[in-house]
Amino acid sequence: MHRVTITLDDDLMADLDRMIEQHGYQNRSEAIRDFARAGMQQAAQDAGKAGGECVAALVYVYDHAARDLSSRLVNNFHNHHDLSLATLHVHLDNDNCMEITALKGRTADVQHLADHVIAERGVRYGRVVMIPTDPGAKPSAARKRPAHRHT
């Protein structure tokens, strides 16, 4: 481990402390390590440089009445059956459906499939969240966080 000293303005420090509290981190160092890893992973994904294996959640909202969209979406997933693990379909209202698909595979392949699904005409919103699963990727250290309580 290396010790690093950083300077943060008061507003950013207050925001960081709120995030630490909300997420249940034990200390600032633990939080900053996780935030740095997440930021680097997102930057690599955005730049198309993320390599290796990942798991992902693809979330998208679409117009269920859009011409042939359901068929095109099914074809996308059938053409990439090796990546798709499961899909949850939710009827939001008369016009909109949301699907959440769990994916697993090479990061580039998962991103390619996600991009194609999100780009389909009739898909109104889409986002993919990838988590690396490489043996070489450093996972977050096990944390002793308080369990979330549901009241």
Side-chain angles (χ1 to χ4, degrees), residues 33-146:
R33 280 191 296 271
D34 272 3
F35 295 156
R37 282 188 200 102
M40 289 186 293
Q41 172 63 25
Q42 186 63 51
Q45 181 180 333
D46 291 347
K49 295 178 183 172
E53 299 286 315
C54 73
V55 292
L58 172 58
V59 181
Y60 53 99
V61 174
Y62 65 95
D63 176 358
H64 78 95
R67 183 179 174 134
D68 299 324
L69 179 58
S70 294
S71 175
R72 286 182 280 140
L73 290 171
V74 168
N75 284 335
N76 266 319
F77 288 111
H78 275 282
N79 291 337
H80 297 91
H81 61 86
D82 54 323
L83 301 176
S84 181
L85 300 174
T87 299
L88 170 67
H89 181 93
V90 180
H91 302 280
L92 298 176
D93 55 36
N94 260 355
D95 301 318
N96 296 290
C97 293
M98 177 176 69
E99 290 192 348
I100 305 164
T101 300
L103 303 168
K104 182 178 180 181
R106 286 184 346 117
T107 301
D109 296 337
V110 168
Q111 185 68 56
H112 179 78
L113 173 58
D115 289 344
H116 277 82
V117 169
I118 293 168
E120 286 285 352
R121 185 180 310 165
V123 173
R124 295 187 170 142
Y125 173 83
R127 184 170 184 179
V128 63
V129 177
M130 287 192 237
I131 300 168
T133 59
D134 280 354
K138 290 186 177 183
S140 298
R143 290 182 212 96
K144 294 175 185 154
R145 291 189 186 175

